[in-house]
Amino acid sequence: MNPKTLHQISYGLYIITASNGDKINGQIANTVFQITSKPPTLAVSINKENYTHEFIKEGRSLAVNVLDRDTGMVFIGRFGFKCGRDIDKFDGVKYHLSPLGNPILEENSTAFMEVRIDKEVDVGTHTVFIGEVIDADILSDGEPLTYANYRLVKKGKAPKTAPTYIEE
Amino acid sequence: MNPKTLHQISYGLYIITASNGDKINGQIANTVFQITSKPPTLAVSINKENYTHEFIKEGRSLAVNVLDRDTGMVFIGRFGFKCGRDIDKFDGVKYHLSPLGNPILEENSTAFMEVRIDKEVDVGTHTVFIGEVIDADILSDGEPLTYANYRLVKKGKAPKTAPTYIEE
């Protein structure tokens, strides 16, 4: 098996946000996908070690923020390679809270989708969270960032906890 | 909720093949994604009405064939908008069978990944099939077709059974 083959799967790049009481957090993810159209249902794979995993487990909802193609690497690095246990990732970031308390980004994002979790699938290192889209809107006419663009143009890496991490 | 928001999620475009005894079939899908890296595990959402769904249920494996960006619309139409109950989709197509009996395309494909199904998640209209990648290789240096390219450049539509179908 050639592990590089897995890079032939196409993805976008998103910030998944969640809340637990008055605490909020967010992290980068690429494995967001729609699995049924009626009702519109999304699935998101999150590493069990990640702080956001705890928040989704407790809060039973999440928001998908679609990153804009022009998002800078510093912004991506803050949400992708730092931990919300150590820093307040939202310090200085423009956002508002949804009625369910999840952060909706007001910068570097082309759209958001909020999901109420109906089902969790334990897949070893990760949990696949599944749920219906209860709110969604387009926020700008920017183009969504793809994972290919992130890797090839921005020279971005995957953290070790990503579902698509490949040892180099 | 603005249903067009769902189009902001990025995907590739694939032909999912499967076998049942000496019968083979294949269909277009866009919701293929890696959900863990150790072991490399994929998830694929397939409509319960689709003929390929029966094959995966019975055969307990599938192959993901990554479509090349230059694939013609006639080829895509054959696998995406026709049913293997009515026609032999592989008539005239270059392919070979994997050791598990699943068709591996030898044209219009940049790579393949074969998956043994470990888990199925019933999500209403669709089943999400989950399993470990047991074989995978890159077949050409072509660029994978993205769903955005299919929709925007090739003006391709989604069939009504697609997880990402949106009524226009």
Side-chain angles (χ1 to χ4, degrees):
Chain A
M1 180 183 125
N2 175 352
K4 287 205 190 300
T5 313
L6 294 160
H7 279 154
Q8 302 254 330
I9 304 175
S10 301
Y11 303 94
L13 213 61
Y14 313 91
I15 293 180
I16 308 301
T17 57
S19 56
N20 186 4
D22 59 357
K23 286 188 289 186
I24 57 174
N25 200 44
Q27 68 154 78
I28 298 279
N30 60 342
T31 51
V32 170
F33 36 89
Q34 187 180 353
I35 53 172
T36 74
S37 69
K38 286 191 177 179
T41 303
L42 299 193
V44 182
S45 181
I46 300 285
N47 193 296
K48 290 177 183 174
E49 290 175 14
N50 288 2
Y51 195 37
T52 306
H53 189 277
E54 285 178 43
F55 282 54
I56 302 171
K57 274 277 217 191
E58 290 296 322
R60 313 300 306 156
S61 68
L62 59 82
V64 175
N65 297 270
V66 179
L67 282 171
D68 189 286
R69 196 174 170 118
D70 294 330
T71 306
M73 285 299 281
V74 171
F75 192 85
I76 293 174
R78 168 196 285 246
F79 282 96
F81 290 87
K82 297 197 170 168
C83 181
R85 293 183 186 96
D86 307 323
I87 64 155
D88 173 5
K89 292 188 181 184
F90 290 94
D91 185 30
V93 172
K94 285 185 210 154
Y95 70 96
H96 67 270
L97 295 181
S98 74
L100 292 179
N102 299 317
I104 308 297
L105 293 183
E106 292 175 357
E107 59 180 317
N108 294 322
S109 173
T110 65
F112 79 93
M113 287 158 268
E114 192 162 41
V115 175
R116 186 175 283 131
I117 305 304
D118 302 316
K119 214 171 248 185
E120 315 179 359
V121 186
D122 185 331
V123 288
T125 53
H126 289 64
T127 301
V128 179
F129 291 103
I130 294 176
E132 189 174 337
V133 179
I134 53 168
D135 194 14
D137 211 354
I138 293 171
L139 303 175
S140 81
D141 56 3
E143 215 179 310
L145 178 62
T146 64
Y147 193 53
N149 186 280
Y150 168 70
R151 289 201 313 113
L152 300 176
V153 180
K154 296 187 189 277
K155 307 289 181 200
K157 303 278 184 191
K160 286 199 172 180
T161 53
T164 51
Y165 175 73
I166 295 174
E167 261 171 275
E168 312 239 354
Chain B
M1 181 184 121
N2 175 353
K4 287 206 189 301
T5 313
L6 294 160
H7 279 156
Q8 302 255 329
I9 303 175
S10 300
Y11 304 94
L13 212 62
Y14 313 91
I15 293 180
I16 308 301
T17 57
S19 56
N20 186 5
D22 59 356
K23 286 187 290 188
I24 56 173
N25 200 45
Q27 68 156 77
I28 299 278
N30 61 342
T31 51
V32 170
F33 35 87
Q34 188 181 352
I35 53 173
T36 73
S37 69
K38 285 190 179 181
T41 303
L42 299 193
V44 182
S45 181
I46 300 285
N47 194 298
K48 290 176 182 175
E49 289 175 16
N50 289 2
Y51 195 37
T52 306
H53 190 276
E54 284 178 43
F55 283 54
I56 302 170
K57 274 280 219 190
E58 290 296 321
R60 313 302 305 157
S61 68
L62 59 84
V64 175
N65 296 272
V66 180
L67 282 171
D68 190 285
R69 195 175 170 119
D70 294 331
T71 306
M73 285 299 281
V74 170
F75 192 86
I76 293 175
R78 168 196 284 246
F79 282 95
F81 290 88
K82 298 197 170 166
C83 182
R85 293 182 186 97
D86 307 324
I87 65 156
D88 174 6
K89 292 188 180 183
F90 290 93
D91 185 30
V93 172
K94 285 184 209 152
Y95 70 95
H96 67 269
L97 296 180
S98 75
L100 291 180
N102 299 317
I104 307 297
L105 293 183
E106 291 174 359
E107 58 180 317
N108 295 321
S109 173
T110 65
F112 80 93
M113 287 158 268
E114 191 162 42
V115 174
R116 186 174 284 133
I117 306 302
D118 301 317
K119 213 172 249 187
E120 317 179 357
V121 186
D122 185 332
V123 288
T125 53
H126 290 64
T127 301
V128 179
F129 291 103
I130 293 175
E132 189 174 337
V133 179
I134 54 169
D135 194 13
D137 211 354
I138 293 171
L139 302 175
S140 82
D141 56 3
E143 215 178 310
L145 178 61
T146 64
Y147 192 54
N149 186 280
Y150 169 71
R151 289 203 311 115
L152 300 175
V153 181
K154 294 186 191 277
K155 308 287 179 203
K157 302 278 184 192
K160 286 199 173 178
T161 53
T164 50
Y165 176 74
I166 294 175
E167 261 171 273
E168 314 241 355

